[in-house]
Amino acid sequence: MEKANITLYTVIGNPERIATAIQDRYKEMTQEIKSENGNIALTLVDDTVINFAINHQQDKPDFIASHTAGMANYFASAETQLVELKESVLRQIRVFNCVTGITFEIDNNEDRTSYIINCIYAIANDVNGFLLYPNMQIYTKEGKLLFSIQGESQLTEFIPIGNADLLDMNRPEEAPADTERRLRSIAQLKKKEIPYMEQLRSEALESEVCLRSREEMVKRAAALFAVAVYSEVILSEDSDREKALFYFNKMNDLYGVKSYLTQKETAYIEDPEPEQQTCIQFVWRYECCGALLWAAGVVDDLSYPSEIIDVPVLAAIFWQHKGIQYLLSKGYSRPQTEILDAADLTLRYDWACVEARIHGKEAPAGLDGGIVVERHYAFNWIIGANENADWDEIQPNT
């Protein structure tokens, strides 16, 4: 008989959940199960064996680090038009912390093979996992091709995900203020009939928050606006890089944005022929810009994320002011509590949008998933989530 190999990847705090899922999904056809040091040998009623080798970061950190780095480097070499999706897949690979190798024998009984593979997908569903086949194709738990070494995918977009038990591992308990904030957010979701996960905790509790200064927020907003304006001109019908650079340099003259661009932003501006998808990604940063100006107290309102930001209004704010300090003088220090409330609600909006997308549904209550994920990204940076990560390293988990 031919031997088959499938690998399950996930982000999970307690690997015992995988062992539990294995036992549960195969229980109807299990004759015997042996488990030792993360290795599970499951004997089916036909006397054949399925082997599971569970390797988790908490037990084998070097193995996981080496394995995921090698996997990311391998898929980074794939040529594809799906540039943004590829980058999201690479981010997902880099945060995998549990690798489960699955081996079993294939015979001529197609029903048996289908049963084994269907159970593997059910296990992936139980633990929010992804499956890698020997031909280097990664599949979602729903059985859709996420990405292949040929650069193919059945998806048009993908947002990296993590498991709540991992995200909450080694974190402090919610303080009363955190619990009250979560309940306030849920009350707003209920009013709009937006699905939610009751125990989803914010990405930064009050005890963990490291709020960026108003000046940092405004500088970041100015840089994002400059890059977004550049991108908008590049994407226009009469695309002209010289014209795009004119507007970018005008922003630099007013705000000195070149000195606080990120590494990725600098590389993008210096690229004479950027990919269209990359331009689209950066033009979406208008939404981040709006969230940053609101958090910095420069603008008063943060609208419900159903309609894209009014770019002419945003442009007027920057073109009519003459530098960072002048812009700061027109604003005020928004209370931390207000910023954390908005960040928490945005996280839950994003969870609802991702959940809808996974199940092939429209985002609920008129939410625009693109707007929501950009705001989520901005708020994570503002509140110092992801261990106070730099802008390019933010990971808006849901």
Side-chain angles (χ1 to χ4, degrees), residues 55-337:
N55 299 284
H56 191 274
Q57 190 171 29
Q58 66 186 16
D59 300 314
K60 299 180 180 179
D62 293 340
F63 170 81
I64 295 297
S66 175
H67 187 98
T68 55
M71 184 178 175
N73 289 338
Y74 182 78
F75 279 102
S77 67
E79 296 183 3
T80 182
Q81 297 296 314
L82 305 172
V83 178
E84 186 174 358
L85 185 141
K86 174 183 170 180
E87 286 301 315
S88 295
V89 170
L90 293 178
R91 286 199 297 272
Q92 180 70 74
I93 291 171
R94 292 186 183 106
V95 299
F96 285 142
N97 73 335
C98 191
V99 179
T100 302
I102 307 169
T103 58
F104 58 95
E105 292 182 337
I106 297 177
D107 58 17
N108 295 324
N109 187 337
E110 293 183 2
D111 289 340
R112 171 185 173 277
T113 301
S114 296
Y115 168 77
I116 292 174
I117 293 176
N118 287 340
C119 286
I120 290 173
Y121 273 98
I123 293 165
N125 187 72
D126 291 341
V127 298
N128 239 5
F130 300 83
L131 295 169
L132 176 69
Y133 279 58
N135 60 0
M136 300 309 288
Q137 293 182 334
I138 306 173
Y139 287 86
T140 68
K141 60 188 180 182
E142 294 83 18
K144 292 185 177 181
L145 177 63
L146 173 60
F147 200 65
S148 72
I149 191 58
Q150 289 78 29
E152 302 165 330
S153 179
Q154 289 180 301
L155 307 182
T156 56
E157 60 179 343
F158 170 69
I159 299 173
I161 60 174
N163 283 41
D165 63 335
L166 172 74
L167 299 178
D168 291 341
M169 189 170 58
N170 299 323
R171 293 183 65 192
E173 293 295 321
E174 280 187 340
D178 298 308
T179 303
E180 291 167 9
R181 175 171 296 107
R182 175 165 55 84
L183 294 177
R184 285 197 301 272
S185 292
I186 289 174
Q188 293 189 56
L189 298 173
K190 285 181 176 178
K191 284 182 181 179
K192 292 185 177 294
E193 298 183 345
I194 297 175
Y196 61 90
M197 187 168 76
E198 183 82 37
Q199 298 305 319
L200 178 64
R201 296 171 67 186
S202 292
E203 283 152 312
L205 305 179
E206 287 206 7
S207 62
E208 301 171 305
V209 167
C210 183
L211 205 65
R212 307 283 178 172
S213 68
R214 290 187 66 235
E215 183 171 348
E216 286 178 294
M217 294 181 205
V218 172
K219 284 183 175 180
R220 183 90 294 269
L224 291 172
F225 179 80
V227 174
V229 168
Y230 172 88
S231 302
E232 187 175 4
V233 176
I234 294 290
L235 290 167
S236 64
E237 288 186 12
D238 55 341
S239 179
D240 184 338
R241 185 165 184 264
E242 291 304 315
K243 185 179 179 181
L245 286 171
F246 169 81
Y247 286 109
F248 175 81
N249 289 327
K250 187 177 178 180
M251 276 296 295
N252 185 57
D253 291 340
L254 291 173
Y255 296 96
V257 295
K258 286 184 180 179
S259 63
Y260 36 85
L261 292 179
T262 69
Q263 187 175 1
K264 287 184 179 180
E265 290 164 351
T266 299
Y268 169 61
I269 295 296
E270 292 177 351
D271 185 353
E273 296 182 356
E275 295 283 345
Q276 183 183 44
Q277 189 58 44
T278 305
C279 296
I280 293 171
Q281 179 183 351
F282 278 109
V283 85
W284 267 102
R285 294 308 197 203
Y286 278 135
E287 300 297 339
C288 292
C289 189
L292 285 157
L293 291 180
W294 175 85
V298 175
V299 298
D300 293 331
D301 298 317
L302 186 69
S303 63
Y304 182 74
S306 59
E307 300 290 338
I308 62 173
I309 195 167
D310 192 329
V311 175
V313 171
L314 188 62
I317 293 172
F318 285 106
W319 297 132
Q320 292 175 10
H321 292 83
K322 306 299 179 183
I324 296 294
Q325 295 306 318
Y326 188 80
L327 196 57
L328 285 170
S329 71
K330 301 299 181 181
Y332 65 98
S333 296
R334 188 172 299 281
Q336 176 174 294
T337 298

Side-chain angles (χ1 to χ4, degrees), residues 340-352:
L340 293 181
D341 282 356
D344 185 80
L345 186 58
T346 300
L347 162 68
R348 298 174 199 284
Y349 283 155
D350 201 8
W351 183 90

Side-chain angles (χ1 to χ4, degrees), residues 345-364:
L345 186 58
T346 300
L347 162 68
R348 298 174 199 284
Y349 283 155
D350 201 8
W351 183 90
C353 289
V354 171
E355 188 72 4
R357 189 179 302 117
I358 287 172
H359 293 94
K361 299 178 181 178
E362 293 291 326

